[in-house]
């Protein structure tokens, strides 16, 4: 045998081997063709695809002889060019049947495996690998054990092929037709999906029963794997079938519902709702939620109580605006015109609003500040908001927060609560119908908090640009975007506004109107508007200016113009009636006629005293209506030193009164007062309240003045209002509500207003109409105050030498009703004490 390496030869199409005439079962040398990922068993024919040059040369060498080659598996699949150590020592002697020239440079051959062959030795030539082999003739075994095993293998194989349906019929029948036990084992194993090593061990098992047993185990294992696999596949199939079935049923339901809907309004309703949900432009989360609730609705009996609850909920989701918006138009001239058309004066507020619009125009997405209008009722806070909405082309919405104590009113109760509804904010959004209205939140100073949660905190969530894009209403349960709303707040006072809210706002003050301003507003705005509202014209009804003044003074007592507007409409109603009854063609309202329309005078603000009096000082208080006079009266009575306080705010004033007494006791000498006054006299202090509720005056100064006046018998100037708290040593401390107080003093026709020096700046922008009529006098201490307001001591006084009862001036005695006229003018600012004063006229 020629074992020397040869030159490689070119493969030739259809080349056939030179067949041997007799077979040599002794050891002999063969070229080797390694198999990378498979094991060849005898009696099989297999195409081989040869990539390695070395193997190709081995095949060529084989073809030069009888075409015999050793095909042996590599024990390591990964090695590309194996050397002998990578090869098993058991392979098959095989016949190269045909060669093909495959796509270059590959080489395909058809190989028939003949018999097992054990390798005695490999020789690795540079050209190709050879092996010295010992062919193994198959042992013929017809023992009962072999036959029994063969039968079992057959049975199991048949079973497996039926159970799995995996093998082609011919393959099965070929295998079943093999009568030689060893060959059957080999053939069956070739049909199984085995690992390289498992198949190699079949090759290496030479004893037939053993080989059959091994193969049988593998058949059973294969059968198990197949069973599990088909079960898994069945599951997948069932899943797929179910979802297909569901889809199919759903489609069917839709068709049936559509058919039925034509006759069933309930169903039609459900379908309409679904369609509306799909087209409402809701965010995904909300739409999914709505559709889910629809499914629950579908499954419910329409008579069940929960049905209505759920249905209302879905209706709510649909009623809210999700995408509808108005487009802002910002034209500053236009805006100014609209503001001027609706409002007289208010220059500062208008200026600020125009600036606000300008910034919005330049930076529409920037966070604009939350404006807050602060002032008494009826000064135009809400209507300014309305005008700004008009200027922007936005929907105007008003939410009153007055008396909101419960957080739920802002963001509602949970839906489980019977009769639950969304909070006020979302109710208003529903009315607005657009996602970007302008909201005026009225009376934020009236928010109260108690055990039902903190409405201010909920309101903050509404206003805070960081949080309000996902506002959570307890009823709705899905987030709602409030970030496109412009919020404007209003308040009567800032004192009761929760500090956290105060932090976010920019305050614009609207302190109230003077009489002249009111007259102007009435002529230019209120009367024309009311005329139109009542279907009247100036040709039918005219108001004379003096009649308007009369209404302003004697029928309204307020900082704003709300009551004035109401009174005017009262007149109009009556005139309208007369016109309809055909009684009069034209009515002209003059002062004497006013009472005919409006009845007797209605407003009685505190009248300023007409004369200087002892024991009476004029305080001023802030009220929700914009400030009012609060005369403080003190009487000194015989007694044992008790302090009695009467009037609605008696107790509130006790501390101020105690401070005034202590101050006075420290100065008895200078003031000419009996040093034992607090032991031998009772002091009765009374605060006349008038009709309007006051929120707590800051009356230390007027109390001290009234007390000292009563004790010393020196009269108090009747034309002077005063405000300020005092310390024990008589220092005057700043207080709040100065503007309203100044307006009140002015309205009452007073001439002087004493105020804490630190408060002077609060009055910087009072209209000149007020500062011309009212002298503002800043004071630091009671020592400044007393000479300004008290008359000189009575001529006949010997206060310090008498006991207190005798020193008490007659005017202040309980028995002495008549106010005492002090004929001596104030030495500091001489004035006419007897000049009568009519409230509101000066
Ligand atoms: P507020 O909100 O401050 O209580 P409103 O805005 O409701 O007051 O105003 C009450 C009425 O007074 C409205 O009809 C408003 O148009 C009118 N009004 C207030 N201020 C002015 C003004 N400066 N010019 C014209 N009308 C005014």
């Amino acid at each position: 045998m020629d074992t020397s390496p040869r030159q490689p030869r070119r493969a030739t199409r259809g080349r056939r081997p030179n067949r041997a005439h007799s077979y040599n079962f002794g050891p002999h040398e063969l070229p080797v063709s390694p198999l990378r990922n498979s094991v060849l068993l005898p009696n099989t024919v297999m195409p081989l695809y040869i990539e390695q040059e070395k193997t190709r040369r081995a095949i060529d060498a084989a073809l030069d002889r009888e075409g015999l080659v050793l095909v042996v598996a590599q024990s390591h699949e990964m090695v590309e060019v194996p050397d002998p150590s990578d090869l098993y020592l058991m392979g098959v002697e095989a016949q190269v049947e045909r060669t093909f020239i495959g796509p270059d440079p590959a080489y395909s051959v058809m190989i028939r495996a003949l018999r097992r062959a054990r390798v005695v030795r490999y020789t690795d030539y540079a050209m190709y690998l050879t092996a010295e082999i010992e062919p193994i003739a198959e042992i013929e075994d017809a023992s009962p054990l072999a036959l029994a095993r063969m039968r079992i293998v057959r049975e199991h194989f048949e079973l497996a092929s039926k159970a799995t349906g995996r093998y082609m019929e011919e393959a099965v029948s070929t295998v079943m037709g093999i009568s030689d036990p060893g060959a059957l084992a080999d053939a069956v194993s070739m049909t199984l999906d085995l690992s390289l090593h498992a198949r190699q061990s079949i090759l290496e098992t030479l004893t037939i029963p053993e080989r059959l047993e091994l193969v049988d185990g593998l058949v059973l294992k294969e059968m198990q794997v197949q069973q599990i696999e088909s079960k898994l596949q069945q599951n997948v199939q069932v899943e797929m079938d179910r979802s297909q079935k569901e889809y199919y049923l759903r489609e069917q339901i839709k068709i049936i519902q559509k058919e039925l809907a034509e006759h069933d309004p309930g169903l039609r309703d459900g379908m309409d709702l679904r369609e509306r949900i799909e087209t409402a432009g809701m965010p995904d989360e909300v739409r999914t939620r709505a559709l889910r609730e629809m499914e629950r609705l579908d499954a419910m009996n329409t008579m069940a109580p929960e049905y209505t609850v759920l249905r209302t909920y879905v209706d709510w989701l649909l009623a809210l605006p999700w995408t509808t918006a108005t487009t802002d138009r910002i034209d500053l001239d236009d805006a100014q015109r609209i503001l001027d058309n609706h409002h007289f004066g208010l220059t500062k507020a208008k200026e600020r609003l125009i600036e606000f619009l300008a910034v919005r125009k330049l930076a529409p997405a920037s966070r604009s500040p939350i404006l807050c209008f602060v002032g008494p009722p009826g000064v135009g806070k809400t209507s300014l908001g309305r005008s700004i909405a008009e200027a922007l082309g936005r929907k105007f919405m008003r939410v009153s927060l007055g008396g909101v104590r419960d957080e739920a009113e802002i963001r509602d109760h949970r839906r489980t609560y019977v009769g639950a509804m969304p909070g006020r904010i979302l109710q208003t959004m529903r009315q607005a119908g657009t996602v970007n209205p302008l909201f005026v939140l009225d009376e934020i100073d009236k928010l109260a908090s108690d055990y039902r949660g903190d409405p201010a905190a909920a309101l903050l969530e509404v206003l805070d640009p960081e949080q309000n894009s996902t506002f959570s209403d307890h009823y709705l349960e899905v987030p709602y975007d409030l970030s496109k709303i412009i919020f404007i707040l209003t308040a009567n006072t800032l004192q009761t506004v929760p500090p956290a809210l105060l932090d976010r706002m920019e305050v614009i003050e609207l302190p109230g109107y003077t009489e002249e301003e009111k007259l102007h507003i009435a002529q230019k705005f209120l009367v024309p508007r009311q005329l139109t509202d009542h279907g009247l014209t100036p040709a039918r009804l005219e108001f004379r200016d003096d009649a308007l003044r009369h209404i302003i003074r004697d029928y309204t007592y307020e900082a704003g113009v709300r009551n004035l507007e109401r009174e005017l409409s009262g007149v109009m109603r009556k005139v309208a009636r007369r016109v309809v009854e055909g009684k009069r063609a034209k009515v002209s309202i003059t002062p004497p006629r006013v009472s005919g329309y409006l009845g007797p005078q209605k407003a009685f603000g505190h009248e300023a005293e007409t004369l200087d009096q002892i024991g009476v000082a004029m305080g001023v208080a802030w009220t929700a209506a914009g400030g009012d006079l609060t005369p403080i009266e003190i009487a000194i009575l015989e007694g044992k030193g008790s302090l009695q306080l009467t009037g609605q705010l008696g107790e509130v004033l006790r501390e101020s009164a105690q401070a005034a007494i202590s101050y006075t006791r420290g100065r008895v000498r200078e003031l000419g007062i009996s040093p034992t006054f607090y032991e031998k006299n009772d002091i009765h202090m009374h605060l006349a309240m008038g009709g309007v509720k006051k929120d707590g005056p800051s009356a230390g100064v007027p109390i001290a003045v009234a007390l000292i006046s009563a004790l010393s018998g020196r009269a108090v100037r009747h034309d002077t209002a005063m405000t300020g708290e005092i310390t024990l040593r008589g220092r005057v401390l700043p207080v709040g509500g100065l503007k309203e107080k100044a307006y009140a003093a002015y309205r009452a026709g007073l001439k002087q207003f004493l105020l804490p020096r630190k408060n002077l700046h609060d009055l910087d922008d009072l209209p000149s109409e007020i500062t011309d009529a009212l002298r503002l006098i800043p004071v630091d201490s009671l020592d400044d105050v007393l000479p300004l307001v008290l008359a000189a001591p009575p001529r006949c006084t010997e206060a310090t030498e008498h006991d207190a009862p005798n020193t008490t001036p007659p005017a202040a005695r309980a028995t002495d009703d008549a106010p005492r006229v002090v004929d001596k003018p104030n030495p500091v600012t001489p004035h006419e004490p007897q000049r009568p004063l009519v409230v509101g006229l000066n």
Side-chain angles (χ1 to χ4, degrees), residues 342-346 376-384 442 513 521 525-526 529 561-562 565:
H342 295 307
H343 299 93
F344 168 78
L346 302 178
V379 291
K381 300 185 293 294
T382 316
S383 67
L384 271 180
D442 256 341
Y513 300 113
I521 292 172
F525 296 89
L526 305 182
R529 206 158 53 214
V561 292
R562 187 169 291 168
E565 195 171 22

mmCIF file of all heavy atoms in Angstrom, residues 342-346 376-384 442 513 521 525-526 529 561-562 565, ligand 1:
data_model
loop_
_atom_site.group_PDB
_atom_site.id
_atom_site.type_symbol
_atom_site.label_atom_id
_atom_site.label_comp_id
_atom_site.label_asym_id
_atom_site.label_seq_id
_atom_site.Cartn_x
_atom_site.Cartn_y
_atom_site.Cartn_z
ATOM 1 N N HIS A 342 -64.269 99.484 31.267
ATOM 2 C CA HIS A 342 -65.042 98.906 32.361
ATOM 3 C C HIS A 342 -64.755 99.537 33.708
ATOM 4 O O HIS A 342 -65.503 99.338 34.652
ATOM 5 C CB HIS A 342 -64.789 97.398 32.469
ATOM 6 C CG HIS A 342 -65.281 96.637 31.267
ATOM 7 N ND1 HIS A 342 -66.560 96.758 30.813
ATOM 8 C CD2 HIS A 342 -64.659 95.775 30.432
ATOM 9 C CE1 HIS A 342 -66.707 95.988 29.741
ATOM 10 N NE2 HIS A 342 -65.569 95.399 29.488
ATOM 11 N N HIS A 343 -63.615 100.235 33.815
ATOM 12 C CA HIS A 343 -63.227 100.723 35.146
ATOM 13 C C HIS A 343 -62.741 102.151 35.122
ATOM 14 O O HIS A 343 -61.895 102.500 34.325
ATOM 15 C CB HIS A 343 -62.122 99.846 35.743
ATOM 16 C CG HIS A 343 -62.544 98.449 35.920
ATOM 17 N ND1 HIS A 343 -62.332 97.491 34.973
ATOM 18 C CD2 HIS A 343 -63.221 97.844 36.929
ATOM 19 C CE1 HIS A 343 -62.850 96.353 35.385
ATOM 20 N NE2 HIS A 343 -63.395 96.548 36.566
ATOM 21 N N PHE A 344 -63.238 102.873 36.080
ATOM 22 C CA PHE A 344 -62.740 104.220 36.274
ATOM 23 C C PHE A 344 -61.536 104.144 37.205
ATOM 24 O O PHE A 344 -61.521 103.326 38.138
ATOM 25 C CB PHE A 344 -63.842 105.072 36.913
ATOM 26 C CG PHE A 344 -63.346 106.386 37.416
ATOM 27 C CD1 PHE A 344 -63.111 107.431 36.535
ATOM 28 C CD2 PHE A 344 -63.089 106.574 38.762
ATOM 29 C CE1 PHE A 344 -62.634 108.637 36.994
ATOM 30 C CE2 PHE A 344 -62.612 107.788 39.219
ATOM 31 C CZ PHE A 344 -62.379 108.827 38.336
ATOM 32 N N GLY A 345 -60.527 105.003 36.979
ATOM 33 C CA GLY A 345 -59.386 105.079 37.899
ATOM 34 C C GLY A 345 -58.596 103.780 37.937
ATOM 35 O O GLY A 345 -58.321 103.182 36.904
ATOM 36 N N LEU A 346 -58.253 103.373 39.153
ATOM 37 C CA LEU A 346 -57.483 102.139 39.381
ATOM 38 C C LEU A 346 -56.210 102.107 38.533
ATOM 39 O O LEU A 346 -55.809 101.042 38.041
ATOM 40 C CB LEU A 346 -58.330 100.902 39.070
ATOM 41 C CG LEU A 346 -59.631 100.757 39.847
ATOM 42 C CD1 LEU A 346 -60.389 99.514 39.386
ATOM 43 C CD2 LEU A 346 -59.369 100.661 41.344
ATOM 44 N N PRO A 376 -61.481 96.155 50.012
ATOM 45 C CA PRO A 376 -62.830 95.912 50.513
ATOM 46 C C PRO A 376 -63.773 95.448 49.394
ATOM 47 O O PRO A 376 -63.412 95.546 48.218
ATOM 48 C CB PRO A 376 -63.270 97.284 51.034
ATOM 49 C CG PRO A 376 -62.089 98.164 50.960
ATOM 50 C CD PRO A 376 -61.076 97.548 50.087
ATOM 51 N N PRO A 377 -64.957 94.997 49.753
ATOM 52 C CA PRO A 377 -65.886 94.535 48.728
ATOM 53 C C PRO A 377 -66.316 95.662 47.799
ATOM 54 O O PRO A 377 -66.375 96.820 48.212
ATOM 55 C CB PRO A 377 -67.098 94.046 49.530
ATOM 56 C CG PRO A 377 -66.670 93.968 50.936
ATOM 57 C CD PRO A 377 -65.501 94.861 51.105
ATOM 58 N N GLY A 378 -66.589 95.308 46.566
ATOM 59 C CA GLY A 378 -67.159 96.272 45.629
ATOM 60 C C GLY A 378 -66.182 97.289 45.066
ATOM 61 O O GLY A 378 -66.596 98.301 44.515
ATOM 62 N N VAL A 379 -64.877 97.017 45.168
ATOM 63 C CA VAL A 379 -63.931 97.983 44.602
ATOM 64 C C VAL A 379 -63.468 97.553 43.209
ATOM 65 O O VAL A 379 -62.616 98.193 42.616
ATOM 66 C CB VAL A 379 -62.698 98.189 45.499
ATOM 67 C CG1 VAL A 379 -63.085 98.910 46.774
ATOM 68 C CG2 VAL A 379 -62.030 96.870 45.794
ATOM 69 N N GLY A 380 -64.025 96.468 42.707
ATOM 70 C CA GLY A 380 -63.724 96.099 41.322
ATOM 71 C C GLY A 380 -62.709 94.990 41.166
ATOM 72 O O GLY A 380 -62.172 94.809 40.076
ATOM 73 N N LYS A 381 -62.477 94.215 42.209
ATOM 74 C CA LYS A 381 -61.464 93.155 42.118
ATOM 75 C C LYS A 381 -61.890 92.095 41.091
ATOM 76 O O LYS A 381 -61.146 91.761 40.186
ATOM 77 C CB LYS A 381 -61.266 92.504 43.498
ATOM 78 C CG LYS A 381 -60.813 93.485 44.552
ATOM 79 C CD LYS A 381 -60.514 92.808 45.859
ATOM 80 C CE LYS A 381 -61.738 92.228 46.545
ATOM 81 N NZ LYS A 381 -62.713 93.223 46.991
ATOM 82 N N THR A 382 -63.109 91.605 41.273
ATOM 83 C CA THR A 382 -63.568 90.560 40.368
ATOM 84 C C THR A 382 -63.732 91.091 38.957
ATOM 85 O O THR A 382 -63.373 90.435 37.985
ATOM 86 C CB THR A 382 -64.926 90.013 40.849
ATOM 87 O OG1 THR A 382 -64.836 89.836 42.249
ATOM 88 C CG2 THR A 382 -65.263 88.719 40.175
ATOM 89 N N SER A 383 -64.262 92.308 38.858
ATOM 90 C CA SER A 383 -64.539 92.784 37.510
ATOM 91 C C SER A 383 -63.251 93.118 36.763
ATOM 92 O O SER A 383 -63.213 93.013 35.540
ATOM 93 C CB SER A 383 -65.530 93.937 37.523
ATOM 94 O OG SER A 383 -64.980 95.049 38.126
ATOM 95 N N LEU A 384 -62.172 93.440 37.485
ATOM 96 C CA LEU A 384 -60.879 93.598 36.798
ATOM 97 C C LEU A 384 -60.454 92.259 36.202
ATOM 98 O O LEU A 384 -59.955 92.200 35.073
ATOM 99 C CB LEU A 384 -59.808 94.055 37.789
ATOM 100 C CG LEU A 384 -59.642 95.557 37.984
ATOM 101 C CD1 LEU A 384 -58.548 95.822 39.007
ATOM 102 C CD2 LEU A 384 -59.299 96.259 36.683
ATOM 103 N N ASP A 442 -62.011 83.929 44.559
ATOM 104 C CA ASP A 442 -62.433 85.032 45.415
ATOM 105 C C ASP A 442 -62.286 84.721 46.890
ATOM 106 O O ASP A 442 -62.482 83.589 47.307
ATOM 107 C CB ASP A 442 -63.921 85.323 45.134
ATOM 108 C CG ASP A 442 -64.068 86.569 44.289
ATOM 109 O OD1 ASP A 442 -63.109 87.351 44.243
ATOM 110 O OD2 ASP A 442 -65.124 86.754 43.670
ATOM 111 N N TYR A 513 -62.881 103.850 47.221
ATOM 112 C CA TYR A 513 -63.074 105.082 46.446
ATOM 113 C C TYR A 513 -63.480 106.239 47.332
ATOM 114 O O TYR A 513 -64.148 106.064 48.348
ATOM 115 C CB TYR A 513 -64.151 104.842 45.381
ATOM 116 C CG TYR A 513 -63.795 103.737 44.426
ATOM 117 C CD1 TYR A 513 -64.512 102.549 44.410
ATOM 118 C CD2 TYR A 513 -62.723 103.887 43.549
ATOM 119 C CE1 TYR A 513 -64.180 101.527 43.535
ATOM 120 C CE2 TYR A 513 -62.382 102.870 42.679
ATOM 121 C CZ TYR A 513 -63.112 101.693 42.677
ATOM 122 O OH TYR A 513 -62.761 100.688 41.820
ATOM 123 N N ILE A 521 -67.842 107.109 39.038
ATOM 124 C CA ILE A 521 -68.126 105.719 38.639
ATOM 125 C C ILE A 521 -69.621 105.552 38.394
ATOM 126 O O ILE A 521 -70.044 104.919 37.420
ATOM 127 C CB ILE A 521 -67.648 104.739 39.734
ATOM 128 C CG1 ILE A 521 -66.121 104.749 39.800
ATOM 129 C CG2 ILE A 521 -68.153 103.336 39.464
ATOM 130 C CD1 ILE A 521 -65.544 103.972 40.957
ATOM 131 N N PHE A 525 -70.322 104.716 34.688
ATOM 132 C CA PHE A 525 -70.362 103.257 34.525
ATOM 133 C C PHE A 525 -71.631 102.621 35.056
ATOM 134 O O PHE A 525 -72.308 101.904 34.343
ATOM 135 C CB PHE A 525 -69.146 102.619 35.217
ATOM 136 C CG PHE A 525 -67.846 103.026 34.600
ATOM 137 C CD1 PHE A 525 -67.165 104.156 35.042
ATOM 138 C CD2 PHE A 525 -67.301 102.304 33.557
ATOM 139 C CE1 PHE A 525 -65.972 104.542 34.465
ATOM 140 C CE2 PHE A 525 -66.109 102.685 32.973
ATOM 141 C CZ PHE A 525 -65.445 103.813 33.422
ATOM 142 N N LEU A 526 -71.921 102.916 36.353
ATOM 143 C CA LEU A 526 -73.015 102.168 36.966
ATOM 144 C C LEU A 526 -74.363 102.549 36.367
ATOM 145 O O LEU A 526 -75.164 101.676 36.009
ATOM 146 C CB LEU A 526 -73.025 102.376 38.487
ATOM 147 C CG LEU A 526 -71.709 102.036 39.194
ATOM 148 C CD1 LEU A 526 -71.848 102.224 40.707
ATOM 149 C CD2 LEU A 526 -71.299 100.602 38.899
ATOM 150 N N ARG A 529 -74.861 101.308 32.760
ATOM 151 C CA ARG A 529 -74.995 99.847 32.729
ATOM 152 C C ARG A 529 -76.358 99.403 33.263
ATOM 153 O O ARG A 529 -77.029 98.558 32.684
ATOM 154 C CB ARG A 529 -73.877 99.228 33.552
ATOM 155 C CG ARG A 529 -73.539 97.844 33.094
ATOM 156 C CD ARG A 529 -72.162 97.394 33.480
ATOM 157 N NE ARG A 529 -71.917 97.541 34.905
ATOM 158 C CZ ARG A 529 -70.735 97.861 35.405
ATOM 159 N NH1 ARG A 529 -69.719 98.105 34.612
ATOM 160 N NH2 ARG A 529 -70.560 97.947 36.694
ATOM 161 N N VAL A 561 -68.341 100.126 45.614
ATOM 162 C CA VAL A 561 -69.573 100.672 45.039
ATOM 163 C C VAL A 561 -70.651 99.613 44.867
ATOM 164 O O VAL A 561 -71.586 99.788 44.108
ATOM 165 C CB VAL A 561 -69.297 101.347 43.668
ATOM 166 C CG1 VAL A 561 -68.479 102.594 43.844
ATOM 167 C CG2 VAL A 561 -68.596 100.381 42.717
ATOM 168 N N ARG A 562 -70.506 98.526 45.601
ATOM 169 C CA ARG A 562 -71.457 97.444 45.397
ATOM 170 C C ARG A 562 -72.876 97.839 45.842
ATOM 171 O O ARG A 562 -73.845 97.637 45.112
ATOM 172 C CB ARG A 562 -70.994 96.197 46.142
ATOM 173 C CG ARG A 562 -71.859 95.022 45.820
ATOM 174 C CD ARG A 562 -71.276 93.756 46.331
ATOM 175 N NE ARG A 562 -70.059 93.398 45.599
ATOM 176 C CZ ARG A 562 -69.240 92.450 46.008
ATOM 177 N NH1 ARG A 562 -69.480 91.802 47.115
ATOM 178 N NH2 ARG A 562 -68.184 92.154 45.302
ATOM 179 N N GLU A 565 -74.433 100.363 43.576
ATOM 180 C CA GLU A 565 -74.992 99.739 42.380
ATOM 181 C C GLU A 565 -76.364 99.125 42.692
ATOM 182 O O GLU A 565 -77.321 99.261 41.930
ATOM 183 C CB GLU A 565 -74.030 98.656 41.888
ATOM 184 C CG GLU A 565 -74.317 98.191 40.478
ATOM 185 C CD GLU A 565 -73.220 97.268 39.944
ATOM 186 O OE1 GLU A 565 -72.484 96.668 40.757
ATOM 187 O OE2 GLU A 565 -73.108 97.150 38.715
HETATM 188 P P1 LIG B 1 -65.137 93.119 44.311
HETATM 189 O O1 LIG B 1 -64.765 91.928 43.550
HETATM 190 O O2 LIG B 1 -63.987 93.987 44.654
HETATM 191 O O3 LIG B 1 -65.979 92.847 45.483
HETATM 192 P P2 LIG B 1 -66.653 93.759 41.981
HETATM 193 O O4 LIG B 1 -65.597 93.565 40.996
HETATM 194 O O5 LIG B 1 -67.680 92.701 42.143
HETATM 195 O O6 LIG B 1 -66.022 94.044 43.384
HETATM 196 O O7 LIG B 1 -67.344 95.143 41.698
HETATM 197 C C1 LIG B 1 -68.639 95.464 42.101
HETATM 198 C C2 LIG B 1 -69.270 96.325 41.054
HETATM 199 O O8 LIG B 1 -68.664 97.590 41.052
HETATM 200 C C3 LIG B 1 -69.109 95.770 39.668
HETATM 201 O O9 LIG B 1 -70.283 95.939 38.970
HETATM 202 C C4 LIG B 1 -68.011 96.631 39.081
HETATM 203 O O10 LIG B 1 -68.133 96.746 37.706
HETATM 204 C C5 LIG B 1 -68.230 97.952 39.752
HETATM 205 N N1 LIG B 1 -66.985 98.697 39.880
HETATM 206 C C6 LIG B 1 -66.074 98.572 40.842
HETATM 207 N N2 LIG B 1 -65.039 99.400 40.643
HETATM 208 C C7 LIG B 1 -65.301 100.068 39.507
HETATM 209 C C8 LIG B 1 -64.595 101.082 38.765
HETATM 210 N N3 LIG B 1 -63.430 101.569 39.167
HETATM 211 N N4 LIG B 1 -65.170 101.535 37.651
HETATM 212 C C9 LIG B 1 -66.356 101.063 37.250
HETATM 213 N N5 LIG B 1 -67.070 100.136 37.898
HETATM 214 C C10 LIG B 1 -66.551 99.638 39.008
#
